[in-house]
Amino acid sequence: GGDRIGTLLLRLWRHVGPRRRAQFMLLLGLMIVVSFAEMLTIGAVLPFLIALTSPETLLANPLAQPFITSFDISSSGDLMLALTIVFGLASLIAGLLRLGLLWASTQLACRTGADLSINIYRRTLYQPYAVHVSRNTSEVISGVNIKANHVISNVLSPALTLVSSGIMMIAVLSVLLMVNYVVALSALAGFGLIYGVIVRLTRKNLVANSERTTIELNRAIKALQEG
């Protein structure tokens, strides 16, 4: 289950070089920045909706006075224009940051996978002759080429996505709790239960399929070489 996945990720982390580890830390910082951008975007939705439905209420709100004074707003039309521009810019910046995070995550996962492939190949080449004689070359080719790609697509990328989504979920949940904690907690419990059921139903099949994929990849390459 989760302990096994954590152990595998820890073992994988030990094979990651210092440079990649530093890049993972920078990526974590970018995830936090993106989560704050999401918080600001969500926070801007409420005043934007209030301005659409009742701009006079927002004009009279003491909390909005610094914003109104800074932009020299005197009418509901000016308020709508200013909030539309601010909300649009906030959404655009948040979207660009999410796109940058996706690009950085994909790049780092692929580069880390390439490093692992190189390390596997280098270690294989320097094995004693007796090991080369006893080992089927299909296992080597599968490990260097196909299995390394599986690590990228099935381990690194999902792990980065999970961390990024977790940080964003905490940020979004924090904002929703401040707005309406009952609805936020109810939604969290409901979606959490649904995801828990899905994981419970699919975990065994995923583990079995992963083991079968590993075996069949070796057999396929062996058959291809012998053919």
Side-chain angles (χ1 to χ4, degrees):
D3 294 339
R4 184 179 179 183
I5 295 174
T7 302
L8 290 173
L9 289 174
L10 183 61
R11 290 175 59 187
L12 183 62
W13 179 255
R14 291 171 182 167
H15 293 282
V16 176
R19 181 183 178 188
R20 298 295 178 219
R21 290 187 180 188
Q23 291 173 344
F24 274 111
M25 293 298 104
L26 290 174
L27 185 65
L28 179 62
L30 180 59
M31 291 177 183
I32 295 173
V33 171
V34 173
S35 68
F36 275 109
E38 291 290 339
M39 289 178 64
L40 293 175
T41 304
I42 295 173
V45 170
L46 188 59
F48 184 67
L49 292 178
I50 294 175
L52 286 176
T53 56
S54 180
E56 293 79 10
T57 303
L58 195 60
L59 279 172
N61 194 314
L63 296 175
Q65 293 308 312
F67 177 82
I68 293 171
T69 304
S70 300
F71 286 88
D72 194 21
I73 295 170
S74 57
S75 65
S76 58
D78 293 338
L79 179 63
M80 276 297 304
L81 178 61
L83 283 176
T84 301
I85 293 173
V86 171
F87 183 71
L89 286 175
S91 301
L92 180 62
I93 292 171
L96 290 175
L97 286 173
R98 283 198 302 270
L99 185 61
L101 177 60
L102 177 62
W103 178 86
S105 300
T106 304
Q107 285 283 321
L108 185 54
C110 291
R111 291 177 187 274
T112 304
D115 292 344
L116 292 174
S117 296
I118 294 170
N119 289 334
I120 293 171
Y121 186 51
R122 183 183 292 114
R123 292 188 180 190
T124 302
L125 287 180
Y126 286 99
Q127 292 294 319
Y129 179 72
V131 175
H132 287 289
V133 173
S134 62
R135 178 182 293 170
N136 195 299
T137 53
S138 62
E139 297 180 14
V140 177
I141 296 173
S142 177
V144 172
N145 188 19
I146 301 175
K147 290 179 184 177
N149 289 330
H150 274 264
V151 170
I152 297 172
S153 59
N154 297 329
V155 179
L156 289 177
S157 293
L160 291 174
T161 302
L162 180 63
V163 173
S164 175
S165 300
I167 294 174
M168 287 188 187
M169 183 193 72
I170 293 172
V172 172
L173 184 62
S174 300
V175 176
L176 294 179
L177 285 173
M178 290 186 289
V179 175
N180 191 323
Y181 70 93
V182 176
V183 175
L185 291 177
S186 301
L188 178 64
F191 284 112
L193 180 62
I194 293 172
Y195 280 114
V197 171
I198 293 173
V199 170
R200 186 75 177 177
L201 293 175
T202 60
R203 183 176 61 186
K204 291 183 178 179
N205 289 334
L206 287 174
V207 172
N209 289 338
S210 299
E211 294 175 351
R212 184 176 179 181
T213 299
T214 301
I215 296 171
E216 295 300 332
L217 283 174
N218 290 339
R219 291 181 61 187
I221 294 176
K222 182 179 179 181
L224 179 62
Q225 283 184 297
E226 291 175 352

